[in-house]
Amino acid sequence: QVQLVESGGGLVQPGGSLRVSCLASGSSFSGVDMGWYRQASGKQRELVASISGPLGTRINYADSVKGRFTISRDNAKSMVYLQMNSLKFEDTAVYYCNRKYGVREESWGQGTQVIVTQ
């Protein structure tokens, strides 16, 4: 079982950058495909980026963030990162990390809030 703690959110202006981080502790972390998800107010949670384990050779992005966001992982530190550039108002959401496949509802962390505002 992987425990998840997200951090790094905050307020940012349109066009700005932010990096959110996820500490994913658990003995099986390195082999797990991981994803960054987000949930905007009143909307369903969506997967925006994913990275395969352990080497990160397969990376996928939602069309809405492609070219602006970069996912990465550091297995030695049990961390997953999401670098977000050229942020837009519509990127405002709570960002979560979790497994890409086989997510258990009780496994979600508290998330980290990103607000894009003038």
Side-chain angles (χ1 to χ4, degrees):
Q1 183 69 23
V2 177
Q3 288 79 45
L4 306 160
V5 179
E6 300 91 350
S7 62
L11 292 171
V12 62
Q13 292 185 336
S17 297
L18 207 59
R19 188 178 81 158
V20 291
S21 303
C22 171
L23 175 61
S25 57
S27 59
S28 61
F29 165 74
S30 63
V32 176
D33 290 8
M34 295 295 294
W36 276 100
Y37 300 76
R38 68 184 181 188
Q39 187 168 24
S41 180
K43 296 188 177 180
Q44 288 190 330
R45 190 175 286 153
E46 61 172 342
L47 177 66
V48 297
S50 65
I51 185 168
S52 61
L55 300 180
T57 52
R58 296 188 312 277
I59 291 177
N60 295 100
Y61 297 99
D63 288 344
S64 58
V65 307
K66 200 171 292 183
R68 301 188 298 120
F69 289 13
T70 303
I71 189 171
S72 60
R73 66 190 297 159
D74 184 336
N75 293 331
K77 297 180 179 178
S78 297
M79 296 293 291
V80 185
Y81 305 99
L82 187 68
Q83 176 67 42
M84 303 182 290
N85 299 328
S86 302
L87 283 160
K88 304 176 180 180
F89 291 121
E90 52 263 43
D91 295 318
T92 294
V94 180
Y95 284 73
Y96 303 86
C97 70
N98 211 320
R99 306 168 65 100
K100 182 178 181 182
Y101 304 108
V103 176
R104 297 183 179 184
E105 191 58 35
E106 63 271 20
S107 67
W108 293 101
Q110 82 288 352
T112 187
Q113 176 79 61
V114 172
I115 300 174
V116 184
T117 182
Q118 292 284 7

